[in-house]
Amino acid sequence: MKKLGAWVLTCLVVCAPLIYVGHLLSNYVKIRKDLQRKSAIVVHPTVGENEALDLGYIYSMRRDSLLREGRLNLVWFVVVPATNVHYSCPYEEGYSDFKTGDSVRLIHTTSEDGGDNGYIVGLHDNERDKVASVWNFNLDTVEPDMPDDE
C-alpha cells in the first residue's frame, strides 16, 4: 500500500507541472496562430466626415504574450507632434510589425468620448502604406482611476 501511495505522489509531482507546461505551450501556439490570422487580414481604412488624419510617430509600445490567458497584448503609443496629443492604440487586426520610432498617420474620430475605432498607416520604408486597425484612446483626456482620499 505504501508503494502505491508513493507512486501516486510521484505521479502528481511529475504530471502536474507537465500538464501546466503543456497548457502554456498550447496557449503560445494559439497566440501565434491568432496573430498570423489577424496579420493576414488586409485592412482598408475609411475616412468619415468627423474623422481626423494626424501625422505622428510611435513613441512607445507594449507587446506582451499573456500565456496564462492565451492572448496577445499589443499596444502602440502614438504622439501627434503638431498638437502634442498622445494616443494609446491597442491592436485589432492588420499589419502588426510597427516599431518604436516609426512615422505613422493616425486616422481617428474627433469625438472626445472614450475610445474609438481607428487606423495606423505606415509612412516610410517597409511599413509604407501598411495599415493596422486599432482601438484608440486619447491619453490626454482619460481620467486616471485614483482612490478617493477620505
Side-chain angles (χ1 to χ4, degrees):
M1 189 66 169
K2 281 189 172 185
K3 285 188 176 185
L4 180 63
W7 185 84
V8 169
L9 182 61
T10 303
C11 184
L12 285 175
V13 169
V14 172
C15 291
L18 287 176
I19 290 170
Y20 183 67
V21 169
H23 169 70
L24 294 179
L25 183 59
S26 171
N27 280 350
Y28 175 78
V29 170
K30 177 185 171 224
I31 290 169
R32 299 292 297 173
K33 285 184 179 181
D34 192 42
L35 181 61
Q36 285 176 343
R37 181 186 57 77
K38 287 181 175 182
S39 294
I41 297 170
V42 177
V43 176
H44 300 286
T46 57
V47 180
E49 61 187 46
N50 62 334
E51 291 187 321
L53 286 84
D54 291 324
L55 294 176
Y57 65 92
I58 297 172
Y59 69 92
S60 184
M61 67 180 287
R62 178 179 300 140
R63 185 182 194 122
D64 302 322
S65 294
L66 304 174
L67 293 178
R68 289 184 189 157
E69 300 172 20
R71 66 181 183 88
L72 176 69
N73 182 31
L74 175 56
V75 182
W76 294 292
F77 298 96
V78 177
V79 65
V80 177
T83 58
N84 199 33
V85 177
H86 298 77
Y87 293 91
S88 170
C89 303
Y91 174 74
E92 294 291 320
E93 61 188 19
Y95 187 73
S96 63
D97 290 331
F98 291 115
K99 296 173 279 317
T100 301
D102 285 347
S103 297
V104 296
R105 180 178 308 275
L106 179 63
I107 302 171
H108 60 98
T109 59
T110 55
S111 72
E112 297 294 321
D113 303 334
D116 293 301
N117 287 320
Y119 306 95
I120 293 178
V121 182
L123 297 177
H124 299 291
D125 302 327
N126 293 337
E127 286 80 27
R128 182 178 205 88
D129 296 329
K130 304 284 183 170
V131 182
S133 176
V134 296
W135 185 254
N136 66 76
F137 298 92
N138 182 335
L139 294 177
D140 297 334
T141 61
V142 172
E143 297 284 330
D145 290 338
M146 300 294 279
D148 294 332
D149 292 334
E150 293 182 13

